[in-house]
Amino acid sequence: MLVVGGALLQQHEIAEERGRRRAVLERADLAARAIEDDLSRSLAAAHALAALVRHADIDRFEEVADDLLAHYGGISSLQLAPGGVLTRIHPLAGNEAALGLDLLADPGHRASAERTIQSRELTAEGPFELRQGGQGVVGRIAVFRPAPGGGEAFWGFVAVAVRLPEVVSRTRVAALSAAGLDWALRRDGAAQPFASSGGALPRLAVAVKVRLPGEAWELDVAPREGWVRWGGLVMPAALLVLVAAAIGLLAQRLLRLPEELRRAVDERTAALALANRRLAAELVERQRAEEARQAAEAQARHGQKMEAVGLLAGGIAHDFNNLLTGILGYAELLGEPGTAADEAAAGIRQAARRGAALTRQLLGFARRGKYQQVPVDLHALVREVSELLERTLDKRIAIRHQLAAGTAVVRGDPDQLQQVVLNLAVNARDAMPSGGTLTFETAEVELDAEGTRARPGLAPGRHVAITVADTGVGIPAAVRERVFDPFFTTKPAGQGTGMGLAMVYGIVQNHGGWVGFESEEGRGARFTVLLPEAPAAERDEGVPAGAPEHGAGRVLVADDERGVRETTARLLRRLGYDALPAASLAEALEVQGRGALDLALVDLAMPAGDGPETLRALRRAQPELPAVLMTGYGLDARVRDALQGGFRGILHKPFSVEELAAEVARAVRRRGA
């Protein structure tokens, strides 16, 4: 009887241990998959950085990094390492210690970096001790760019860093401890863990693989109190009971066994049902994460395509602006007032200004055309566009206003924002060939972090929404994804260029806004633009008016374009200044050597020394020399850097004699102040 009782108890212990092992294995597997999913989502942002470098648009690193931090959760920092040396990290705060790290020379990173170059794929390294403290995991891609002689050359690395403690806290690993389980994470094949619930590896643990790009870990899990909670006490107690009443207890056990088995089956069935529900929830969560990743990649591809065409448009606009500056300058110098020559010059000036308006549209599409940063009242802008349309619209189209925003003031370029509203209104007009209703709406919108995730490019806070709606033919579903593509149009040949909505997209993006639309074929369309609301106290400083202001002093005009250089110098002489032209940095220094300067007008882009370099050279002899920047570009990163580097004003090409006179007089006055 004792042998039979002992055997039955031993089988019960074995059955309980197996059941617990299966349950722990399920928990460990869910935790391992959660680590894989979390790191894969975060490290995937490295692909977007690699695309940025391949398109040679590294100047937008911080802007793109902010977007990636908003779309990919769990990222600690994003990094650029040209030639293998870490030179740019975003955000930099807290990560300064990593700057200057040479990945190909450092013994701790060299092998992983070389493996990344050989694979040409995303690889994970870690965890390892970060220079700035703590453990981290890095996803790294080796970037190759076209070489001048053909083929590709190694540029360097882009990387995404994730702090390991944050990964553990976000996933199901931390929940294992709360469930009474000990756990440890270690590299596949390593003896010691790099993270655990208590330090050492759990004894007799179940092991689950954690697979990462180019890396493999192992998660070990075991119950804190052991696999059988009562094994050490049951056998002696059972022996005493069996000795006292062997036959009676055995009979009772046999009689109750079917009921206990049924109860055990019910409990196991309930546990399996719970595990199945959890697995279904995990599958739904993974599906959502995959959809979010695909949407982010599609957004990045669209942005890269728009940037590529924008670079071309911006370059063309810059060259045209240089030509138009010379044309406008020569026209200002032609003829005396009231003569036939003066009338002809007026026609040339008008044509040049129309050309300048065209280049502003190109720069708007290229996201480089925001010439001004002034308060703009969208209500007043809508009324101006409405008055313009009322003179040209088909009488069968009615204009309606629903301007509900209490304040509709934003900051930006009024000409560019008027172009946005006008283009949307013209598109709405063309969608109603048989007449209908064109409606302008405004509203105030408060966006939180959740609201900005659905509208890439926006920051949380107060925004003004302006909507242009029509009751026309609507947008077919087949073309909705291409609505903002440049040169795409559904209009017949000769009736549209396909640039209107592309320019709307570029201008809105450049103003820190967002544009989207809703449409149903046959039931019209609604285009909505969201722009950050300006502080109510801001007011436009105004534009100087009246006759050109005259002055005196030695003014350097440094520009490699002969037409720009000569006409600007002649206009300055007409205004009373001693204008001294120079075609390069060397000529500018030669002019300065003949006598001190009162002011320098310097072009941004010159082949033998650009604007900032020329100004630095001039200020070695005259540290307080005032300078004004001339450029055919808009307010892009290079222009902003130049203005922060010492230029006291800016002249956007093409400029009129009034604008030239006002900016030169302002710079000279500042010197004397």
Side-chain angles (χ1 to χ4, degrees):
M1 297 299 293
L2 292 174
V3 173
V4 173
L8 288 173
L9 288 170
Q10 184 179 18
Q11 289 300 317
H12 185 76
E13 290 176 349
I14 292 172
E16 181 174 339
E17 180 178 352
R18 287 176 178 171
R20 296 198 73 192
R21 279 188 175 275
R22 283 194 296 270
V24 171
L25 182 61
E26 289 175 359
R27 283 180 173 269
D29 187 68
L30 288 174
R33 300 295 81 76
I35 295 173
E36 291 177 357
D37 289 350
D38 186 87
L39 284 174
S40 296
R41 284 196 299 270
S42 299
L43 300 183
H47 289 293
L49 284 184
L52 181 76
V53 173
R54 293 191 192 102
H55 285 85
D57 202 7
I58 300 175
D59 287 342
R60 295 186 60 239
F61 169 65
E62 280 75 15
E63 177 186 347
V64 173
D66 282 335
D67 289 342
L68 293 175
L69 289 172
H71 286 90
Y72 294 89
I75 296 176
S76 171
S77 67
L78 299 130
Q79 308 168 357
L80 297 182
V85 180
L86 279 176
T87 60
R88 297 180 75 172
I89 302 176
H90 187 81
L92 183 59
N95 298 304
E96 295 87 350
L99 284 175
L101 174 64
D102 190 337
L103 299 172
L104 293 172
D106 186 84
H109 297 278
R110 183 172 57 248
S112 174
E114 291 175 349
R115 187 171 70 249
T116 302
I117 294 175
Q118 293 171 0
S119 70
R120 293 201 177 195
E121 294 179 351
L122 173 66
T123 60
E125 179 187 359
F128 56 84
E129 292 298 324
L130 298 170
R131 285 194 172 191
Q132 56 270 38
Q135 287 187 311
V137 181
V138 169
R140 190 179 293 124
I141 296 177
V143 180
F144 292 79
R145 291 171 58 175
E152 291 183 323
F154 173 66
W155 175 87
F157 300 103
V158 298
V160 175
V162 180
R163 292 187 183 274
L164 182 64
E166 296 177 8
V167 175
V168 172
S169 66
R170 283 194 304 270
T171 61
R172 295 176 178 269
V173 177
L176 296 175
S177 299
L181 302 173
D182 284 331
W183 57 270
L185 272 170
R186 59 190 173 99
R187 286 194 178 91
D188 195 13
Q192 295 299 319
F194 53 77
S196 70
S197 58
L201 286 172
R203 297 182 60 189
L204 302 175
V206 298
V208 180
K209 299 294 184 186
V210 180
R211 295 176 176 83
L212 303 172
E215 184 70 83
W217 299 347
E218 184 172 286
L219 175 63
D220 299 311
V221 184
R224 191 172 296 122
E225 72 279 9
W227 292 105
V228 180
R229 287 171 286 189
W230 45 271
L233 299 175
V234 168
M235 187 58 71
L239 288 173
L240 290 174
V241 173
L242 288 171
V243 169
I247 297 176
L249 290 177
L250 180 60
Q252 185 181 18
R253 177 71 173 165
L254 291 174
L255 290 172
R256 295 178 56 189
L257 188 58
E259 178 62 23
E260 292 180 359
L261 288 174
R262 185 190 64 77
R263 187 164 54 250
V265 169
D266 289 344
E267 291 174 356
R268 186 58 185 155
T269 301
L272 289 174
L274 178 60
N276 185 56
R277 288 194 297 272
R278 289 175 177 170
L279 179 59
E282 286 289 327
L283 291 174
V284 171
E285 185 177 340
R286 289 189 188 185
Q287 178 66 25
R288 289 174 179 169
E290 178 64 18
E291 290 173 355
R293 183 188 65 79
Q294 292 176 357
E297 289 180 354
Q299 181 74 18
R301 286 194 299 270
H302 180 73
Q304 291 163 11
K305 176 173 62 177
M306 299 294 280
E307 285 296 328
V309 181
L311 287 173
L312 173 63
I316 292 172
H318 169 261
D319 292 343
F320 265 92
N321 279 338
N322 272 328
L323 294 173
L324 290 169
T325 301
I327 293 171
L328 194 58
Y330 283 123
E332 295 283 2
L333 296 168
L334 280 177
E336 295 295 329
T339 65
D342 184 56
E343 292 180 6
I348 296 172
R349 289 194 294 270
Q350 183 179 4
R353 292 189 182 103
R354 290 177 62 188
L358 177 60
T359 60
R360 281 199 299 272
Q361 292 183 21
L362 284 174
L363 286 171
F365 164 66
R367 298 174 62 179
R368 291 177 173 85
K370 191 165 53 172
Y371 288 130
Q372 302 183 64
Q373 273 280 52
V374 299
V376 179
D377 186 343
L378 294 182
H379 286 171
L381 189 147
V382 166
R383 294 187 184 97
E384 290 174 7
V385 171
S386 297
E387 290 176 4
L388 177 64
L389 290 172
E390 284 173 350
R391 294 193 293 269
T392 59
L393 280 182
D394 188 322
K395 298 301 181 183
R396 294 174 295 176
I397 296 178
I399 298 178
R400 298 285 184 269
H401 295 114
Q402 296 179 9
L403 308 182
T407 175
V409 178
V410 299
R411 283 188 63 80
D413 188 314
D415 291 336
Q416 292 291 330
L417 293 177
Q418 185 183 64
Q419 191 71 37
V420 168
V421 179
L422 186 59
N423 279 357
L424 292 177
V426 169
N427 263 26
R429 177 202 66 187
D430 294 343
M432 298 184 289
S434 301
T437 301
L438 171 61
T439 304
F440 295 96
E441 303 174 8
T442 63
E444 296 176 67
V445 179
E446 182 80 29
L447 291 180
D448 55 13
E450 182 68 26
T452 58
R453 273 195 288 271
R455 300 171 178 87
L458 291 182
R462 293 178 63 83
H463 294 75
V464 180
I466 179 168
T467 299
V468 180
D470 64 72
T471 57
V473 296
I475 303 173
V479 303
R480 288 174 191 166
E481 292 184 358
R482 302 185 61 191
V483 161
F484 295 112
D485 286 2
F487 309 113
F488 172 76
T489 180
T490 58
K491 298 175 184 177
Q495 295 186 23
T497 64
M499 287 294 290
L501 289 178
M503 280 187 282
V504 167
Y505 179 88
I507 292 170
V508 171
Q509 290 284 309
N510 199 30
H511 281 73
W514 172 89
V515 58
F517 68 92
E518 301 171 350
S519 181
E520 186 175 341
E521 195 166 357
R523 303 190 65 177
R526 290 174 56 84
F527 281 81
T528 298
V529 174
L530 285 174
L531 295 167
E533 186 178 80
E538 292 191 357
R539 295 292 183 267
D540 193 352
E541 294 180 357
V543 179
E549 185 174 351
H550 286 58
R554 289 170 54 83
V555 179
L556 172 72
V557 181
D559 198 304
D560 59 311
E561 289 286 340
R562 178 181 177 183
V564 175
R565 186 172 64 250
E566 290 185 353
T567 57
T568 303
R570 291 175 66 180
L571 288 171
L572 285 170
R573 293 187 190 110
R574 179 178 287 184
L575 293 169
Y577 298 96
D578 182 11
L580 307 166
S584 65
L585 187 156
E587 289 188 18
L589 293 176
E590 182 182 347
V591 169
Q592 187 186 41
R594 297 198 296 266
L597 301 172
D598 294 298
L599 177 66
L601 300 183
V602 185
D603 184 39
L604 173 65
M606 293 192 293
D610 62 9
E613 185 178 353
T614 301
L615 179 58
R616 286 193 294 271
L618 292 170
R619 284 185 171 169
R620 292 189 187 104
Q622 292 182 252
E624 299 300 324
L625 176 65
V628 173
L629 183 70
M630 298 187 296
T631 179
Y633 293 106
L635 291 175
D636 61 9
R638 290 189 304 168
V639 174
R640 287 192 292 269
D641 290 344
L643 291 174
Q644 292 172 1
F647 285 94
R648 298 184 181 179
I650 184 170
L651 278 169
H652 289 283
K653 301 175 184 177
F655 46 79
S656 66
V657 65
E658 291 82 8
E659 292 168 333
L660 173 65
E663 194 59 47
V664 169
R666 188 181 299 116
V668 171
R669 281 197 300 271
R670 286 175 182 167
R671 181 186 187 186

